[in-house]
Amino acid sequence: MYKVASLVLALFAVVYAVPSAYDTVHVWRAGNLSYTVPENAILGGFDPYGYNTYVGRVKYVNDVLPARVVVETGTAYFNTPTASSKLLVYDLLVAERNVNYVWVRSFDGFFEKGLVAAGTTSKNELSFFCRARADAGYLIGTLLLSSQKTCIIKHESLSLRKFDKYEVLVAQPKGNGTLYY
Ligand SMILES: *[C@@H]1O[C@H](CO)[C@@H](O)[C@H](O)[C@H]1NC(C)=O
Ligand SMILES: *[C@@H]1O[C@H](CO)[C@@H](O)[C@H](O)[C@H]1NC(C)=O
């Protein structure tokens, strides 16, 4: 057991000790407009135009960030505290490893068990998934627990919003299973 525990810790160290890294705790599939959407990709809301959005991630400059992906157009929208943009290359989160992905209510940067991160920023902060109702949509945003403690959402030309009450994406083991981490 001791060996298993230290292996898990070692994994965390490798995954999260470095800035600008992709999360490897969860399973991600590369995506763009040419790829078919995996059956087990995770829906995370809808945008102001009524498109469903999937849970995705992008690498923007040196930050790995949560994204809301409109698969019909192959567009991944993402936010940082200072930037809001879109990319046409992204990863989609898929439900594997005997895990359920659920959205749970949270607030003020509280740490919830099983929080899902896209990866780390250039400042080595974990970039977690959050979402809130905004601008007639249900929009996935970015939660940086150490510096911001709010869910940052900005869609296209709409205004930047910082929610202190929001939902977070959490991984829960199925049945009596245990998570891989
Ligand atoms: C999607 O990615 C594949 C593999 O890298 C590439 O061959 C294809 O041209 C890309 N399609 C688009 C629309 O970017
Ligand atoms: C979980 O474990 C309990 C006690 O061992 C058992 O009664 C129950 O059927 C298990 N549930 C599942 C979903 O495996």
Side-chain angles (χ1 to χ4, degrees):
M1 283 310 276
Y2 177 73
K3 269 193 181 155
V4 172
S6 41
L7 189 68
V8 170
L9 284 177
L11 181 67
F12 263 108
V14 170
V15 172
Y16 292 138
V18 285
S20 313
Y22 289 97
D23 162 80
T24 57
V25 171
H26 303 279
V27 182
W28 305 84
R29 296 268 178 270
N32 67 26
L33 193 54
S34 316
Y35 286 85
T36 51
V37 183
E39 258 176 36
N40 51 356
I42 319 271
L43 277 170
F46 52 91
D47 77 7
Y49 309 104
Y51 284 111
N52 284 323
T53 57
Y54 285 86
V55 173
R57 68 178 177 187
V58 294
K59 191 165 204 175
Y60 172 71
V61 191
N62 289 315
D63 297 330
V64 179
L65 298 165
R68 43 185 185 278
V69 178
V70 175
V71 295
E72 287 86 348
T73 58
T75 309
Y77 300 87
F78 61 91
N79 303 124
T80 76
T82 51
S84 154
S85 194
K86 54 192 173 185
L87 286 169
L88 303 179
V89 177
Y90 44 82
D91 291 335
L92 292 174
L93 177 64
V94 292
E96 288 184 16
R97 296 188 178 163
N98 214 28
V99 165
N100 281 326
Y101 291 98
V102 294
W103 293 93
V104 302
R105 287 189 189 180
S106 191
F107 59 95
D108 293 344
F110 193 77
F111 185 85
E112 308 288 347
K113 195 165 182 279
L115 270 183
V116 179
T120 54
T121 66
S122 57
K123 293 175 184 159
N124 205 15
E125 276 190 280
L126 287 163
S127 56
F128 294 107
F129 286 84
C130 58
R131 72 174 182 183
R133 289 189 182 277
D135 302 314
Y138 209 168
L139 296 169
I140 297 170
T142 299
L143 176 65
L144 302 169
L145 288 187
S146 38
S147 66
Q148 297 286 320
K149 302 186 193 303
T150 53
C151 183
I152 299 158
I153 297 174
K154 173 171 166 50
H155 194 71
E156 304 258 71
S157 60
L158 301 169
S159 44
L160 173 76
R161 292 153 192 279
K162 295 186 175 186
F163 293 86
D164 48 21
K165 291 192 182 71
Y166 46 80
E167 290 171 89
V168 287
L169 184 63
V170 161
Q172 293 177 344
K174 279 185 190 167
N176 288 351
T178 48
L179 285 180
Y180 274 54
Y181 53 96

